Amino acid sequence: MHPRILEVTERLIERSRDTRSAYLRMIRAAASEGPARGKLQCANFAHGVAGCGGSDKQRLRLMDSANVAIVTAYNDMLSAHQPYETYPEQIRQALRDIGSVGQVAGGVPAMCDGVTQGEPGMEIGLASREVIAMSTAVALSHNMFDAAVFLGVCDKIIPGLLMGALRFGHLPALFIPAGPMPSGISNKEKADVRERYAEGKATRDELLESEMKAYHAPGTCTFYGTANTNQMLMEMMGLHLPGSSFVNPNTPLRDALTQESARQAVRLTKQGGNFLPLGELLDERVLINSIVALHATGGSTNHTLHMPAIAMAAGIKLTWQDMADLSEVVPTLAKVYPNGKADVNHFHAAGGVAYLVRQLLDAGLLHEDVNTVMGRGLRRYTQEPFLENGQLVWREGGLQSLDPNILRPVSEPFSHEGGLRLMSGNLGRGVMKVSAVAPEHQVVEAPAKVFHDQQALADAFKAGQLECDFVAVMRFQGPRFNGMPELHKMTPYLAVLQDRGFKVALVTDGRMSGASGKIPAAIHVCPEASDGGPLAKVQEGDLVRVDGTTGTLQLLIDPTELEQRAAEPAPSEQAVGCGRELFGFMRAAISSAEQGASAFTTSLENLK
């Protein structure tokens, strides 16, 4: 094992000793009670099976039959989740075939960032993760289940499902993906049309046609944003079947993997004889493996929020410093848009997760001796699924990348470090996704232009006021003030200015997500401006240095002047409309971005 991997793992274990021990005591006490439905009062049990068919009712009366909860994020609004419409019946039938039962225990909300981008609804996007976690808890609260399978893919849905599932960590759990849509037009072509539209060189009809050719079918969007990063991480953490993350929807292989996932969930129950609850599976080493994979693939910056929140749900205290220290020694092995031209289908065809696991294991960058839903040992995930005469089988994945422009060995990486940089200085702490930013653009020292919303920057661009070197300071976009919406509306304008030869950068307490592109962007800056963070003291024309090579985020003024400056008060507009007012109580409870921007952080840390 690489010494840095071991060092970060050991300090994570030590830092989390009390909270992790309390968590394990909780789930072990729950697991020791046996099948919960066997202890329900007769009326409670009757309610729980009243909607079942006769054969399922009889099986549920027998404690040697497993009852598997199905928690689904199905809806028609998310292309990635539309395929889940047929999954419950596939799962139920696969379970009946082996003498077990599946029940849809509950649904969770699933909003699409692509639809709400730049709209008021985006301001409840991050908070929806907490709602999903709570909805998962509601679904599992009936105490009828021996295991659970989770149907979810996209941005806040997988983190929310996993956070909720971990609070029922005495149950075995398996996540079932739906896969990416087939490739449409290239992501580079799509981005080019967006930039031409921002300059007024493409019509709205041309833009719409381009977007609909890119997002054109059921399945995840094909760029390597948060949704597809989620899928890679679930597989790397051993929560998917091997090789299942990027199999396209509505194919025979996809259906076979779904049905086998249901059967595998039963094998992990006490009745199945290989009892492995989720809370025991997901330990510190599994989390470290996930962060290594995040860096090696240049994954979504949203996971600097999600992974600390997920970790805390399992009693583990993961920090940005842990993530940054790992990034220094993990090479970048994948180039998928926005870090490259390829999409996830190309990544999968080039060797995908199986090749990535093999490379990282052989280089001593992953913990091999971990639990997975397939049993002990991550080496199982160097295999790929196939259908042979209609039967699902696994074979060893390729030893060589089939396209070194997309996927490379550790011996010939795209970069000798990962894609994440911890940024710090007198403006606070944040993160930058450097893997998508060309080296010549990673350092910007320029006057600040201060904005409080994306439209103001767009208006300034259209008015010709941004034809210069500058650092855009977009403040009052943090989780406690307005829910931390993603800020992609600015991306085409800043990209155009960079292409024109200007030095531009972004500093914000908001988010840019997995689609963070070629502009150097220090994001998730905390403390956020509305909490009196230093961003609130920046004035128009102040010289700001954003250095992605050293991780420097500095306002270049005299320290005494900075200390004496009054902070700009937060805008007085209230987050009202589109349901935002319903989330006021949650925003008030949310922790800093570095702690996962979670409403649960404080309460979970204090559990003993």
Side-chain angles (χ1 to χ4, degrees), residues 87 90 178 180 182 247-259 387:
Y87 276 37
Q90 289 188 57
V247 175
N248 299 124
N250 303 317
T251 60
L253 180 56
R254 178 84 274 162
D255 290 345
L257 287 164
T258 297
Q259 293 153 26
L387 288 177

Side-chain angles (χ1 to χ4, degrees), residues 159-375:
L161 286 170
L162 187 49
M163 289 162 66
L166 282 165
R167 303 316 295 175
F168 287 77
H170 61 286
L171 295 175
L174 199 150
F175 284 70
I176 305 180
M181 66 178 69
S183 300
I185 65 168
S186 73
N187 287 295
K188 175 66 165 61
E189 184 179 349
K190 175 191 67 179
D192 287 345
V193 176
R194 287 179 177 178
E195 291 181 19
R196 289 197 296 111
Y197 180 75
E199 292 183 277
K201 296 178 180 178
T203 67
R204 181 174 174 81
D205 284 344
E206 290 173 320
L207 178 63
L208 181 59
E209 182 179 1
S210 168
E211 298 291 341
M212 292 188 73
K213 286 180 179 178
Y215 309 117
H216 62 96
T220 58
C221 310
T222 59
F223 66 88
Y224 194 51
T226 309
N228 286 315
T229 305
N230 281 339
Q231 300 312 293
M232 185 278 300
L233 290 176
M234 289 300 100
E235 189 167 334
M236 190 64 69
M237 295 166 79
L239 296 175
H240 281 175
L241 295 186
S244 64
S245 295
F246 300 122
V247 175
N248 299 124
N250 303 317
T251 60
L253 180 56
R254 178 84 274 162
D255 290 345
L257 287 164
T258 297
Q259 293 153 26
E260 180 62 16
S261 295
R263 292 187 286 266
Q264 187 63 24
V266 171
R267 297 182 189 114
L268 299 176
T269 64
K270 289 187 175 179
Q271 295 94 325
N274 295 298
F275 183 56
L276 180 59
L278 173 64
E280 303 275 1
L281 183 159
L282 200 156
D283 63 11
E284 293 90 346
R285 292 167 303 164
V286 167
L287 278 169
I288 292 296
N289 284 352
S290 74
I291 303 306
V292 168
L294 180 70
H295 294 324
T297 57
S300 168
T301 53
N302 269 329
H303 288 87
T304 62
L305 304 173
H306 297 323
M307 296 313 297
I310 290 167
M312 197 64 244
I316 301 170
K317 297 181 177 180
L318 180 72
T319 69
W320 281 356
Q321 191 64 58
D322 296 332
M323 300 174 81
D325 288 348
L326 292 171
S327 184
E328 290 180 355
V329 300
V330 175
T332 301
L333 304 184
K335 283 285 188 182
V336 185
Y337 187 86
N339 304 339
K341 296 180 180 180
D343 67 24
V344 293
N345 291 312
H346 305 140
F347 166 79
H348 186 61
V353 177
Y355 179 82
L356 187 72
V357 171
R358 186 188 304 279
Q359 285 294 313
L360 294 172
L361 278 175
D362 290 349
L365 293 168
L366 292 174
H367 293 282
E368 183 172 351
D369 188 26
V370 293
N371 283 315
T372 77
V373 295
M374 298 299 289

Side-chain angles (χ1 to χ4, degrees), residues 297-559:
T297 57
S300 168
T301 53
N302 269 329
H303 288 87
T304 62
L305 304 173
H306 297 323
M307 296 313 297
I310 290 167
M312 197 64 244
I316 301 170
K317 297 181 177 180
L318 180 72
T319 69
W320 281 356
Q321 191 64 58
D322 296 332
M323 300 174 81
D325 288 348
L326 292 171
S327 184
E328 290 180 355
V329 300
V330 175
T332 301
L333 304 184
K335 283 285 188 182
V336 185
Y337 187 86
N339 304 339
K341 296 180 180 180
D343 67 24
V344 293
N345 291 312
H346 305 140
F347 166 79
H348 186 61
V353 177
Y355 179 82
L356 187 72
V357 171
R358 186 188 304 279
Q359 285 294 313
L360 294 172
L361 278 175
D362 290 349
L365 293 168
L366 292 174
H367 293 282
E368 183 172 351
D369 188 26
V370 293
N371 283 315
T372 77
V373 295
M374 298 299 289
R376 192 77 174 176
L378 191 60
R379 185 69 62 172
R380 182 73 170 78
Y381 283 75
T382 63
Q383 297 182 329
E384 299 175 339
F386 295 89
L387 288 177
E388 288 184 357
N389 300 318
Q391 298 298 309
L392 183 63
V393 299
W394 273 269
R395 305 176 196 151
E396 281 300 318
L399 299 180
Q400 305 293 327
S401 169
L402 297 181
D403 190 337
N405 294 315
I406 299 171
L407 194 56
R408 290 188 181 177
V410 170
S411 59
E412 300 178 60
F414 292 102
S415 169
H416 290 284
E417 64 169 348
L420 185 75
R421 180 81 71 242
L422 176 62
M423 305 292 290
S424 62
N426 63 5
L427 284 176
R429 288 164 64 86
V431 297
M432 180 188 289
K433 183 176 180 179
V434 294
S435 55
V437 182
E440 64 269 25
H441 297 308
Q442 290 184 12
V443 180
V444 175
E445 186 175 304
K449 288 188 177 292
V450 181
F451 304 96
H452 293 176
D453 63 68
Q454 296 184 88
Q455 189 58 50
L457 185 145
D459 292 343
F461 175 88
K462 292 171 184 176
Q465 298 170 357
L466 302 182
E467 301 286 323
C468 59
D469 295 349
F470 69 97
V471 174
V473 176
M474 183 66 64
R475 61 193 182 193
F476 301 112
Q477 304 296 317
R480 290 173 62 85
F481 182 69
N482 69 348
M484 208 180 194
E486 290 180 354
L487 303 173
H488 289 305
K489 190 172 183 177
M490 301 180 295
T491 305
Y493 303 110
L494 294 174
V496 165
L497 292 166
Q498 181 173 274
D499 289 345
R500 290 177 182 173
F502 298 113
K503 286 278 194 178
V504 294
L506 173 69
V507 177
T508 180
D509 48 9
R511 293 187 294 135
M512 292 292 283
S513 96
S516 300
K518 59 188 183 181
I519 304 300
I523 61 176
H524 305 174
V525 175
C526 56
E528 64 178 277
S530 64
D531 277 349
L535 282 186
K537 295 185 175 184
V538 179
Q539 296 177 1
E540 193 83 7
D542 282 343
L543 198 61
V544 177
R545 183 174 179 83
V546 179
D547 189 337
T549 63
T550 63
T552 300
L553 181 59
Q554 198 78 6
L555 182 63
L556 300 179
I557 65 171
D558 183 84

